[in-house]
Amino acid sequence: MKYSPSYQDLINQITELKKQNERLLLNAKLDGEEVKHQKQIPIEIGKVIESQKFSHTLLNNMGDSIFVKDDKSRLVLVNDAFCEMFNLPREEIIGKTLAENVPQNERESFLKIDSKVLADGIENINEETLTLNGTTRIISTRKSLFIDAKGEKFLVGVIRDISERKKAENALKESEERFKELNATKDKLFSIIAHDLRGPFNNIIGVSALLSKNEMYLEDELSGKYINIINSTAKSTLALLDNLLNWAKSQTDELRIRPEKIIFPQIIHEIVSLERPLAMAKDISLEFRPTKEFIIITDGNILKTVLRNLISNAIKFTHSGGKITILTSVDQKNVEITIADNGVGMSKETMKGLFNISSNVTFLGTLNEKGSGLGLVLSKEFVKKLNGNIEVESEKGKGSNFKISLPLNNFN
């Protein structure tokens, strides 16, 4: 791994030079030429040169721009990255403040910070703009005070170009604002689904149910059939709307589990009575074989949604004249509910993506009924929220068995 020196390494190197009672070298040529300095070079010049070579090598291997200034904000030491940032050779940088290279507002800002750090010794970390040759960058600067053995003050600084990071942050901020707008639109859409659309569908269901009991339509077989189709279609569409709402709630953690005592098998009787007209419309036998009554503590509304989805799915993929059977079994800890049909069944490949929203593929029912495929995905998530498990056994052409296993009480 390549060694990446830190800011502290720079301080340690300067300190080491001062331990030799040498003042900071203002300008050095590292190719063996004469070392130029504003004051007399000490006797142990060889050691100083070697230390300086190591120090410069260290600094030039750092990706950030490093600089040292005297108490007049004049640059006395810079690394290669600093020269590249200002697009100037080192000899045109040393001894200058470079204040003339930037706009006045930026110049006043960085000179003011220099003076403050030199005066009170408090480290300054700041984000600011740096405009060079008409190009403005955003930089992060860190400036610290260093005092040598003779009491002379120096400003040690690190500059990092954070322009790309800031662009990314601004882009992310804009995306977040856009997301908030889209999320608000989504909430409004689901509000329309929840309130404005449910009402009309409930009206269609209610009116069609009344018409189906009217003597005039009871005597007209064709009219009665059409009324039943309207009623069952409205119920299926309303169920789809409920699935969409429940899916949205489950994805945003808005769905809350509300455990309650439920008498089995009453809850299944309720769902079967709601789904039976849909089964009758396809001439499918929907049979429930109940066990003795017992208590389960779970969320009744969520369980009803799961049962409704699984039974509706069985009806969709069962041929006219087919049969759907609902079985239950219970032990001391769990209840198992099985929805078995003798419908079209599924291949092993289809079963692999059955409960996955990303790979779920929808198929037409036996009477070309359309569906979103969301019901089974939602059922899987809901059963998991009830601390249960759902499995499927199926063979193409021979039907499917969906099995739900739920704890009798797992919410204490």
Side-chain angles (χ1 to χ4, degrees):
M1 181 181 291
K2 185 179 179 181
Y3 172 64
S4 180
S6 67
Y7 168 74
Q8 187 61 41
D9 290 323
L10 173 62
I11 300 300
N12 293 340
Q13 287 303 310
I14 296 176
T15 303
E16 182 63 28
L17 293 176
K18 301 312 169 184
K19 286 181 180 179
Q20 300 177 39
N21 294 320
E22 301 295 339
R23 63 162 297 168
L24 186 66
L25 193 62
L26 300 184
N27 189 15
K29 294 185 178 180
L30 302 181
D31 57 0
E33 294 181 9
E34 179 182 2
V35 179
K36 295 182 180 179
H37 198 284
Q38 289 183 349
K39 296 186 178 180
Q40 183 180 1
I41 299 176
I43 297 175
E44 296 181 340
I45 187 170
K47 292 182 179 180
V48 175
I49 292 174
E50 288 303 316
S51 296
Q52 284 300 115
K53 285 182 179 180
F54 179 76
S55 178
H56 275 269
T57 300
L58 182 73
L59 296 182
N60 289 332
N61 281 326
M62 297 180 72
D64 295 331
S65 299
I66 309 295
F67 65 87
V68 178
K69 294 182 178 181
D70 62 15
D71 57 357
K72 305 297 183 184
S73 282
R74 293 173 299 195
L75 292 157
V76 298
L77 178 67
V78 295
N79 68 347
D80 288 348
F82 188 93
C83 296
E84 291 174 6
M85 175 174 281
F86 281 82
N87 195 27
L88 291 172
R90 188 173 275 100
E91 54 267 23
E92 293 186 23
I93 293 176
I94 299 301
K96 298 179 181 179
T97 66
L98 295 186
E100 63 276 7
N101 292 65
V102 298
Q104 183 177 353
N105 61 319
E106 296 178 357
R107 177 192 319 156
E108 292 175 353
S109 175
F110 81 72
L111 289 177
K112 183 178 179 180
I113 293 173
D114 287 359
S115 299
K116 184 172 178 57
V117 174
L118 287 166
D120 58 28
I122 299 175
E123 183 180 63
N124 179 274
I125 300 175
N126 187 48
E127 290 184 3
E128 55 196 331
T129 59
L130 176 65
T131 305
L132 295 170
N133 302 319
T135 301
T136 300
R137 314 182 210 185
I138 302 175
I139 59 172
S140 174
T141 60
R142 180 172 183 168
K143 298 177 181 178
S144 301
L145 176 66
F146 176 78
I147 303 177
D148 68 5
K150 295 182 180 179
E152 294 187 32
K153 293 183 177 182
F154 294 90
L155 189 72
V156 181
V158 180
I159 302 176
R160 175 169 295 178
D161 190 337
I162 59 171
S163 302
E164 292 303 317
R165 192 191 83 191
K166 283 296 181 182
K167 286 181 182 179
E169 288 177 356
N170 290 334
L172 179 60
K173 188 175 181 180
E174 290 177 3
S175 296
E176 288 176 349
E177 292 298 324
R178 178 61 178 158
F179 176 77
K180 288 179 181 178
E181 293 177 6
L182 291 174
N183 200 44
T185 302
K186 180 264 299 178
D187 290 341
K188 186 175 181 180
L189 175 62
F190 280 119
S191 177
I192 292 172
I193 294 174
H195 301 289
D196 296 351
L197 290 182
R198 287 171 66 91
F201 275 105
N202 280 323
N203 290 338
I204 294 172
I205 293 170
V207 171
S208 58
L210 288 174
L211 289 175
S212 66
K213 297 176 183 179
N214 189 287
E215 292 183 3
M216 179 177 67
Y217 296 107
L218 288 173
E219 295 174 0
D220 187 341
E221 184 178 344
L222 185 61
S223 297
K225 181 180 179 179
Y226 288 152
I227 290 172
N228 286 332
I229 291 174
I230 292 171
N231 184 267
S232 61
T233 302
K235 285 181 178 179
S236 298
T237 307
L238 184 59
L240 175 59
L241 294 177
D242 284 337
N243 279 344
L244 287 172
L245 289 171
N246 289 326
W247 172 257
K249 289 179 180 178
S250 69
Q251 298 306 297
T252 55
D253 292 328
E254 293 179 13
L255 190 70
R256 297 289 180 264
I257 303 298
R258 295 178 173 84
E260 58 181 323
K261 288 184 178 181
I262 296 172
I263 300 176
F264 254 66
Q266 291 183 7
I267 190 170
I268 298 183
H269 276 302
E270 180 182 341
I271 298 302
V272 169
S273 65
L274 291 173
E275 296 296 323
R276 183 162 278 122
L278 186 62
M280 291 174 63
K282 289 186 68 173
D283 192 26
I284 294 172
S285 170
L286 179 57
E287 180 182 346
F288 171 44
R289 299 176 184 174
T291 58
K292 63 179 180 180
E293 288 191 350
F294 57 91
I295 300 294
I296 179 174
I297 299 178
T298 192
D299 189 308
N301 288 328
I302 290 181
L303 180 55
K304 288 177 184 179
T305 300
V306 172
L307 293 172
R308 188 187 69 233
N309 279 320
L310 294 181
I311 295 173
S312 296
N313 189 72
I315 295 171
K316 177 181 176 182
F317 292 105
T318 299
H319 292 286
S320 295
K323 184 177 182 179
I324 299 171
T325 305
I326 302 171
L327 305 170
T328 58
S329 62
V330 61
D331 57 27
Q332 293 182 345
K333 294 183 178 180
N334 301 289
V335 58
E336 185 176 271
I337 308 166
T338 302
I339 294 96
D341 66 66
N342 61 353
V344 297
M346 292 174 283
S347 65
K348 292 182 179 180
E349 192 65 28
T350 300
M351 284 190 286
K352 287 181 181 179
L354 199 61
F355 300 109
N356 191 334
I357 187 67
S358 60
S359 62
N360 187 260
V361 179
T362 61
F363 299 93
L364 293 177
T366 54
L367 290 182
N368 294 322
E369 302 101 318
K370 295 181 180 180
S372 65
L374 187 60
L376 293 179
V377 177
L378 189 65
S379 296
K380 177 78 171 181
E381 288 203 11
F382 277 13
V383 170
K384 186 176 180 180
K385 287 181 179 293
L386 297 179
N387 298 315
N389 186 48
I390 183 170
E391 297 178 349
V392 59
E393 299 172 354
S394 186
E395 187 176 346
K396 201 164 185 179
K398 295 186 178 181
S400 304
N401 292 345
F402 284 84
K403 295 183 179 181
I404 306 168
S405 178
L406 295 173
L408 292 178
N409 183 8
N410 199 25
F411 293 98
N412 282 341

